[in-house]
Amino acid sequence: MKLTTGQAAWVICGMLAACLGALIMERVPPPADNNPVPIPLPALAGAYSMTSPLFCQNENCMSEVEDASIAASSSCPECGGALAERTLPESRILPKGTFVSHAYYRRAGNSFSVAAVVAGSEPTSIHRPQQCLPAQGLTIVGRSTLTVGNTPDTGSLALTVLRARRDGRPGRGEMLYAYWFTDGTRETPYHIARLAMQAADRLAGKKPRKWAYVSVSVPVLSRDDPAEARLSEFVRALHGAMTGAIGAPASSQD
Amino acid sequence: MTGSASIPRVFLRALPLFVGGALLAVLFGFLGNAQEADRAGRSAVLWMVRRWSGGGGDLSHGWLIPLVSGYLVWRDRAKLASTPKRASGVGLILVAALLLLHWGGVRVQQTRLSLLSLAGLTWAIPLSLYGAGVARLLVFPCAYLLFCIPLSFLNEVSLPLRLVAGAMSVWTLNGLGIPAVRSGTAIFAQGPADTLSFDVADACSGLRSLLAMMALTAIYAHLTQRNAARKWTLFVASLPIAVVANVFRITAVAVVARLFGQESGLKLYHDYSGFLVFGAAVLMMAAAGDLIRRLGAKGPAQ
């Protein structure tokens, strides 16, 4: 059957009207209520014990306070500014409803910095470290994927590992920055894979799930430092502690 | 009586276009965004325009894209008017698919999918109404609208380009007699009194973004090259051009720092390197276009 331009135009109008109806009927999905990671982070990860730092919210200071007695006073010992559980850039950037937890895990001279960000209802809650790290003055000089074996639940965990430098000078201030995404049941080292899984869930009309972004950073002490091996060993312990202790988020940090 | 009878006929012919235009305006001007909709609103178009204005100007070329597309359509207005017109069923199927994509974009909260749908509809609707002849003339102006979509993920894939630019810069500097070493994206050039350090920024720093360079090369190739193969060759060349332009920037800054001191080099870097890169990239793009034209002219007749 041949269509005239006028008939085709009315067919298009019909399709546009149908699409409009579908979009008007589209409802915002209910908020997710799963806990992808425990907030606050577990007090112990294997033999590693945890301390939680606080961060000065004065943009001229932005100090980190780890001493519990100082932190209890809620003011920065450097400048007297207010202290909070998230850094100032996080306070500014992360959307409403996002949970953040920072921690240090230590054992016999080994120290790891851990951050977990649990997304709120908006897909932009979790940001890509490739953008965030340079914004914090770090230069990314390499990227790789590392598989940590023998994790208690899934058997292995894949991480994206970024090699970064704080001051851009070789051999000084270098660190490994590893991260992965999890919704409590699925894990991926790739931002794009997380987005694809979220999109597939939404398209299928499944109940939305919260995703978390877990990062672990460790300084590279020297050129011969087996930092990647130390990182693997710690992540195995942390992952086991987290999957064994998933509980309700402690408090909203809106 | 013919005049008065023709008024309702004209009105009836134009009515679906007005209705369709209004529906399109509502679908994308008032709906289409589900990301942070309570804060950012539900308009896909406003979501896009906000990104053109923000992000340090990296997407500010977005304002020019619809104007360029509009100009290209206006330029071909005589050809468009004289092309035989016939409604197309394939076009209608494509419109349906693109509207499904728009709905899917809202459902999965990916506004970029809705914007992709909008760019596609600017081509699929004329195809449906007027057929393949008209659609063929509109391929480039409509495809060019894709550069409006904020594709921020391109910045994420720029790390390998930065590493290549850094390696080429060190090679060039050493060739010029300026001792330099690279570590990741950082470069250290030895001066007479001190060491100048740089971080190689995104592959086309100074051109605002890789996307802006690609958009510039796309329109230049379209206007200056005669056939599709040459146009695509020049367009693909935008990537190495962006890298080489950045190499030019780094080399120029290091040379100035070596000759006039680190302060002068850094001033050049901070204040003028963007212009240097832009100028260098435009010249390289023009040279590449000229080379492709000459090589094409020597080859078999098209």
Side-chain angles (χ1 to χ4, degrees):
Chain A
M1 189 186 81
K2 275 187 179 177
L3 279 175
T4 65
T5 295
Q7 287 167 332
W10 282 115
V11 171
I12 291 172
C13 286
M15 289 193 279
L16 291 172
C19 184
L20 181 62
L23 287 189
I24 288 171
M25 284 193 292
E26 193 62 37
R27 290 283 166 259
V28 177
D33 54 7
N34 64 307
N35 302 306
V37 291
I39 300 282
L41 289 161
L44 286 172
Y48 293 86
S49 57
M50 185 268 270
T51 55
S52 295
L54 292 176
F55 301 91
C56 178
Q57 302 295 294
N58 175 358
E59 66 181 344
N60 296 318
C61 176
M62 294 205 283
S63 295
E64 195 175 318
V65 179
E66 222 187 310
D67 187 319
S69 59
I70 296 172
S73 70
S74 299
S75 59
C76 174
E78 302 279 333
C79 70
L83 294 173
E85 289 174 17
R86 56 173 70 183
T87 64
L88 185 61
E90 285 168 348
S91 300
R92 286 178 176 164
I93 293 169
L94 293 176
K96 193 178 170 185
T98 308
F99 294 91
V100 183
S101 185
H102 288 272
Y104 284 105
Y105 285 88
R106 293 191 177 88
R107 186 193 72 174
N110 265 336
S111 176
F112 296 88
S113 174
V114 178
V117 180
V118 180
S121 56
E122 300 298 344
T124 53
S125 292
I126 294 178
H127 288 259
R128 280 159 283 192
Q130 282 82 352
Q131 291 172 359
C132 297
L133 290 180
Q136 292 166 23
L138 288 154
T139 303
I140 299 168
V141 296
R143 174 162 58 180
S144 59
T145 305
L146 173 70
T147 302
V148 176
N150 300 323
T151 53
D153 53 345
T154 51
S156 68
L157 172 69
L159 315 168
T160 295
V161 181
L162 303 175
R163 189 171 279 265
R165 283 188 197 116
R166 182 153 295 281
D167 65 355
R169 286 181 179 274
R172 285 177 55 193
E174 195 162 301
M175 61 187 276
L176 296 182
Y177 186 94
Y179 65 88
W180 73 96
F181 303 95
T182 175
D183 73 344
T185 57
R186 295 170 292 182
E187 290 161 332
T188 175
Y190 306 113
H191 180 71
I192 193 81
R194 174 183 74 87
L195 289 178
M197 284 188 258
Q198 276 188 300
D201 284 353
R202 290 196 190 105
L203 203 57
K206 287 184 184 169
K207 190 173 181 194
R209 292 184 65 80
K210 278 185 186 172
W211 280 78
Y213 160 72
V214 184
S215 66
V216 178
S217 58
V218 57
V220 179
L221 303 173
S222 68
R223 285 188 191 277
D224 304 323
D225 178 18
E228 208 164 90
R230 290 194 290 126
L231 178 73
S232 290
E233 189 250 329
F234 170 70
V235 167
R236 192 177 296 118
L238 176 69
H239 186 258
M242 288 202 308
T243 50
I246 291 177
S251 62
S252 173
Q253 298 175 19
D254 291 352
Chain B
M1 292 306 285
T2 313
S4 59
S6 65
I7 291 170
R9 199 173 303 141
V10 168
F11 176 76
L12 283 175
R13 282 174 63 181
L15 184 62
L17 298 181
F18 283 120
V19 173
L23 285 167
L24 263 182
V26 174
L27 275 174
F28 293 93
F30 294 92
L31 297 168
N33 175 48
Q35 288 184 20
E36 300 176 347
D38 56 339
R39 204 157 47 110
R42 295 190 68 185
S43 165
V45 172
L46 282 182
W47 180 90
M48 173 175 69
V49 166
R50 242 177 243 124
R51 271 149 188 81
W52 293 350
S53 310
D58 282 2
L59 297 166
S60 54
H61 64 277
W63 294 102
L64 292 174
I65 303 298
L67 297 178
V68 172
S69 286
Y71 163 74
L72 293 173
V73 174
W74 179 81
R75 200 182 65 140
D76 284 343
R77 65 194 182 283
K79 278 189 207 168
L80 286 165
S82 62
T83 302
K85 295 171 184 68
R86 192 175 144 189
S88 160
V90 174
L92 290 175
I93 293 168
L94 194 57
V95 169
L98 288 164
L99 288 173
L100 200 63
L101 179 69
H102 180 38
W103 170 80
V106 173
R107 195 167 169 91
V108 303
Q109 299 184 354
Q110 284 297 330
T111 310
R112 287 176 184 88
L113 292 179
S114 288
L115 293 170
L116 187 64
S117 158
L118 178 59
L121 284 169
T122 61
W123 185 76
I125 290 175
L127 170 67
S128 308
L129 298 177
Y130 306 118
V134 168
R136 204 169 294 124
L137 289 170
L138 293 175
V139 166
F140 185 82
C142 295
Y144 198 63
L145 289 173
L146 295 174
F147 286 111
C148 288
I149 302 173
L151 298 175
S152 52
F153 67 83
L154 276 179
N155 291 331
E156 212 177 310
V157 298
S158 68
L159 182 62
L161 296 179
R162 293 165 66 188
L163 294 171
V164 169
M168 287 172 67
S169 301
V170 165
W171 181 76
T172 310
L173 287 169
N174 284 319
L176 290 170
I178 298 173
V181 290
R182 179 181 71 89
S183 176
T185 55
I187 289 175
F188 306 93
Q190 186 64 52
D194 47 19
T195 300
L196 182 68
S197 65
F198 306 84
D199 181 45
V200 181
D202 282 341
C204 41
S205 175
L207 292 166
R208 309 311 300 178
S209 79
L210 186 58
L211 212 55
M213 181 63 200
M214 290 166 76
L216 182 67
T217 312
I219 186 66
Y220 183 75
H222 180 72
L223 293 175
T224 60
Q225 300 297 324
R226 283 174 58 188
N227 64 40
R230 291 186 209 172
K231 287 175 186 181
W232 276 105
T233 305
L234 183 53
F235 178 64
V236 170
S238 63
L239 203 69
I241 285 173
V243 175
V244 173
N246 212 22
V247 171
F248 178 78
R249 174 180 71 99
I250 295 158
T251 308
V253 172
V255 169
V256 171
R258 179 69 187 265
L259 293 176
F260 304 106
Q262 183 153 327
E263 198 179 328
S264 304
L266 289 176
K267 186 167 174 55
L268 176 77
Y269 175 86
H270 283 298
D271 299 348
Y272 304 114
S273 66
F275 296 110
L276 272 175
V277 178
F278 187 82
V282 169
L283 286 175
M284 280 189 283
M285 183 181 69
D290 191 49
L291 184 68
I292 290 166
R293 248 195 324 268
R294 282 167 195 264
L295 289 175
K298 282 181 187 169
Q302 299 297 321

